[in-house]
Amino acid sequence: MTDTDTAVATAHASGNAATDKFKTARVSCDTSPERAGAIYRDVLSALGEIIHRHEVTYDEYRVVKQWIIDVGEYGEVPLWLDVFVEHEIEDVNYSRNALAGTKGSIEGPYYVANAPELPSTCTMPMTEKDAQATPLVFSGQVTDLAGNGLAGATVELWHADEDGFYSQFAPNLPEWNLRGTIVCDDEGRYEIATIQPAPYQIPHDGPTGWFIESYGGHPWRPAHLHLMVKAPGKEAITTQLYFAGGQWLENDVATATKPELILDPKAGDDGKNYVTYNFALDPEA
Ligand code: BEZ
Ligand code: FE
């Protein structure tokens, strides 16, 4: 029996699932030897400077060496990098491309490509238990920078359930639970019925959690929706949306919140929360 067969979601199990999914698409890039050398030299010289500044001891060095081995063995490389490093990569790429549309945010380790298509007005696949949570009706439009609706737009949405679990990374959830590719109408509009997600603790019973514990931190992310928005001839964006007044907004373990990405849903008379958010996409570079 593997960890994912058990009823308990562990960092080990979700970490290994994230590692396996990442490995299925072998990535490559055309970085020149000159650029690679310049980056490596800077990384090593920054590391050397930090070691000297803090007078790192041999015991500390050995503990870090053991911890890096553990991160690999627990399958937590995607988890640790996406919590502590991805936000810098996202930030520098948004600035470098001088994008003017909706801000991006980190993808994180739990994206799965090819989620089943849903029509522009739809209900996300959810369990009976999910259906007891506060309903959230999320609507809006995908536009160009001038506000014109975009035909052919899609909105991929994925988020955790009320217990903080993502389908395909926790046991006993339907494969595509709370995941879908919404095919917008001819004007880029969508209306998605889902549930209000809860704040979420990244898996922290493995080496990523030991790392956080070692500096007295916490493993919480504020409640969020993940989105990947695409339209023909436009730059795709990967982003997240958060909730006004939500816990951990100011203190996200993954440093991935932005003021432009905060929703403020209003409660309707029918007990559902309603919110509108539009996505503006830059022209393809
Ligand atoms: C998340 O948003 O679900 C996430 C982001 C970074 C690391 C782990 C999880
Ligand atoms: Fe998430």
Side-chain angles (χ1 to χ4, degrees), residues 126-248:
M126 64 179 78
T127 62
E128 279 178 26
K129 181 165 183 279
D130 295 330
Q132 308 305 310
T134 305
L136 174 69
V137 180
F138 170 55
S139 57
Q141 190 177 21
V142 182
T143 73
D144 63 14
L145 295 182
N148 303 304
L150 294 174
T154 56
V155 173
E156 285 177 74
L157 172 64
W158 71 102
H159 66 90
D161 64 16
E162 269 216 316
D163 298 323
F165 295 134
Y166 285 86
S167 56
Q168 304 191 36
F169 298 91
N172 303 331
L173 287 174
E175 187 178 17
W176 297 104
N177 204 54
L178 298 175
R179 294 178 184 274
T181 301
I182 294 91
V183 180
C184 302
D185 72 11
D186 288 347
E187 295 180 326
R189 293 185 195 279
Y190 50 87
E191 184 181 297
I192 307 162
T194 188
I195 55 166
Q196 191 82 40
Y200 159 77
Q201 292 187 79
I202 59 152
H204 58 283
D205 57 318
T208 302
W210 309 334
F211 175 85
I212 292 170
E213 216 176 281
S214 73
Y215 64 81
H218 70 75
W220 287 94
R221 299 216 59 222
H224 57 277
L225 304 173
H226 289 269
L227 300 122
M228 201 176 280
V229 184
K230 299 176 184 168
K234 304 293 172 201
E235 283 292 325
I237 55 162
T238 299
T239 193
Q240 300 188 25
L241 294 171
Y242 303 90
F243 295 90
Q247 230 188 333
W248 312 107

Side-chain angles (χ1 to χ4, degrees), residues 21-30:
K21 287 237 188 306
F22 186 76
K23 281 177 14 188
T24 56
R26 192 94 203 156
V27 285
S28 61
C29 59
D30 56 4

